[in-house]
Amino acid sequence: GSSDGKFLYGKFPDDFIWSSATSSYQIEGAWDVDGKGESIWDRFVHTSGKVYNNDTGDVACESYYNYKTDVQLLKELGVSHYRFSVSWPRVLPNGTINDINEKGITYYNNLIDELLANDIKPMLTLYHWDLPQKLEDHGGWLNETTNDHFNDYARLCFQRFGDRVSLWITFNEPWIIVRHGYGYGIFAPGYSDAPGTKTYIAGHNLLKAHAKAWHTYDDEFRATQKGTIGITLNTGWSEPRNASIPSDVEAAERAMQFDFGWFAHPIYYGDYPDVMKWQVGNKSEAQNLTESRLPKFTPAEIESIKGTSDFMGLNFYGAGLTFNDDNNPVGPPGYDNDKATAGAIDPAWPVSGSDWLKVTPFGMRSVLNWIYTTYPNPPIYVTENGVSDRPSSKENGISDEARTFYYRHYIDEMLKAIKLDGVNVVGYTAWSLMDNFEWASGYRERFGLHWVDYDSPNKTRTAKDSAKAYSKIIADNGFIDEPVSTTPVSGVA
Ligand code: PNW
């Protein structure tokens, strides 16, 4: 299934799920209210120079107070599901089960009840990056005891919310957590991984923590609550820079294995991809290390990780052109050097408000097909897809033709993957319901279907044109209109 560029008209399956997403730290604000504990993101943003403009999520969209408004936005959109995350330190201020903050539990109970009262089903992410700082003080994801605390926290959420929540995601984007948080140092907790070890150790612990929580759900809750639980992985699509150069083709596949396979391969097959074991092992040997920097799973761990995702959650934003980079071996040891690939972009691709994100709808169909053929045909939820801009005014921000173009075309490529290629995509989630705290980029990059007026007392939300376009796609369950122009428009409003 490669794309022929023609727009496909047609409908999605009748039971297709339409959703939109946010995450706790990015929208809630109320960072130190009602007994909430400090998270690693609270600590990170309060350290000067870490975030663009020194923006923080202290206040954000104040969804802690405005959640009923948020639910009305969802209702207006017509989605059947809402993907949000629980802030671990809001319910467990010191990270452990020894201190439960009932006010935090009440907030999520209220949100869930409000959703259900409006016929919207919750899709709950347990970990969207806001680790309790108290656990970080004891080593965070570099310390395996964090896995047990995560399991206790997950169990608490199943106990308290599982009577009304039947779709669970353990971790959002382990790749971003470990590369940005432990490798590049640009996200909390801000480690730069010079010896090339922390990234892999954190990733190893996240996989084991995920499996543990999956088993807790499977053993203790599935029979009564009858829900499903999985993980959300992100990847770009690595297109070979030149499809007739074998080393480009090989590099692109290697990049997919290092980005997505790193976490998906253990989940489907029990262990890391061979190419990763080979690359990291050889490079470790060249450093005269006696053991690979990539940790090993015990046979018991392999057995317990295999098969621990009822579905695959995919966050997809864009594609890049990949080629072999043999010069990388002279760089510092670590993930990028181990991967030994480099990336380029096609200058014809429309840009966005984020450096890393180019408007490349074809990548959606390609990545869905790659997952379909690389793993045993899992049901796929697209748990995030969307685009940023940096509008100069509210007026420009609301007239967001570039975002409408993006959604129509990425969703259409997903339709092709379903209809023409037979990929089992069961749901789609637009990131994001509203503009919010975009991590190290602060409030400058806006991903929302709704404009948030951060200067107004209620953080007023206003539907952008793209929200109306997305609503129409949902109402039609696809594309049923006469063909319209599909000429790309500039990515930056
Ligand atoms: C995701 N990259 O993060 C997250 O799940 C969201 O919280 C975030 O707001 C959204 O995508 C938009 O960025 C990513 O550099 C952050 O490739 C960075 C990258 C990808 C995803």
Side-chain angles (χ1 to χ4, degrees), residues 25 38-51 88 127-143 146 171-193 198-199 201-203 205-206 439-440:
Y25 187 72
E38 188 188 18
S39 79
I40 56 173
W41 270 93
D42 294 317
R43 181 67 62 94
F44 193 73
V45 302
H46 294 146
T47 312
S48 181
K50 297 293 187 190
V51 173
W88 182 352
Y127 188 85
H128 202 124
W129 309 352
D130 38 6
L131 182 76
Q133 179 63 39
K134 277 276 166 13
L135 296 181
E136 180 61 29
D137 295 342
H138 291 95
W141 293 116
L142 299 175
N143 180 346
T146 298
F171 288 95
N172 180 67
E173 302 189 345
W175 189 93
I176 293 280
I177 297 171
V178 303
R179 287 307 299 145
H180 286 33
Y182 293 82
Y184 304 125
I186 55 176
F187 282 10
Y191 288 111
S192 303
D193 187 8
K198 285 195 180 70
T199 290
I201 293 167
N205 284 331
L206 289 175
W439 307 113

Side-chain angles (χ1 to χ4, degrees), residues 457-478:
N458 296 327
K459 314 295 166 204
T460 310
R461 292 93 155 106
T462 308
K464 300 180 188 178
D465 291 348
S466 59
K468 291 164 192 158
Y470 184 44
S471 282
K472 174 155 171 53
I473 295 169
I474 295 172
D476 293 347
N477 199 31

Side-chain angles (χ1 to χ4, degrees), residues 23 26 128-129 172-173 176 180 187 234 315 317 356 384 431 436 438-439 447:
S23 86
Q26 293 179 276
H128 202 124
W129 309 352
N172 180 67
E173 302 189 345
I176 293 280
H180 286 33
F187 282 10
N234 67 292
N315 290 356
Y317 288 89
W356 52 272
E384 284 181 28
W431 182 274
N436 57 48
E438 178 52 23
W439 307 113
F447 275 87

Side-chain angles (χ1 to χ4, degrees), residues 83 172-173 232-239 256 260 313-320 356-368 371 380-387 406-407 409-411 413-414 428-431 447:
R83 175 172 179 240
N172 180 67
E173 302 189 345
T232 278
L233 305 181
N234 67 292
T235 184
W237 168 247
S238 287
E239 179 78 10
M256 291 304 295
F260 196 87
L314 169 70
N315 290 356
F316 177 73
Y317 288 89
W356 52 272
L357 202 178
K358 309 300 172 202
V359 181
T360 46
F362 75 92
M364 174 66 99
R365 185 174 175 189
S366 300
V367 74
L368 290 171
I371 294 170
I380 301 170
Y381 286 92
V382 175
T383 42
E384 284 181 28
N385 176 238
V387 71
Y406 181 104
Y407 277 121
H409 286 265
Y410 277 66
I411 291 171
E413 292 296 318
M414 176 175 68
Y428 176 86
T429 313
W431 182 274
F447 275 87

Side-chain angles (χ1 to χ4, degrees), residues 26-27 59-63 66 434-436 452 454 459 461:
Q26 293 179 276
I27 65 161
V59 176
C61 311
E62 288 200 312
S63 286
N66 294 322
M434 63 193 135
D435 297 334
N436 57 48
V452 175
Y454 296 110
K459 314 295 166 204
R461 292 93 155 106

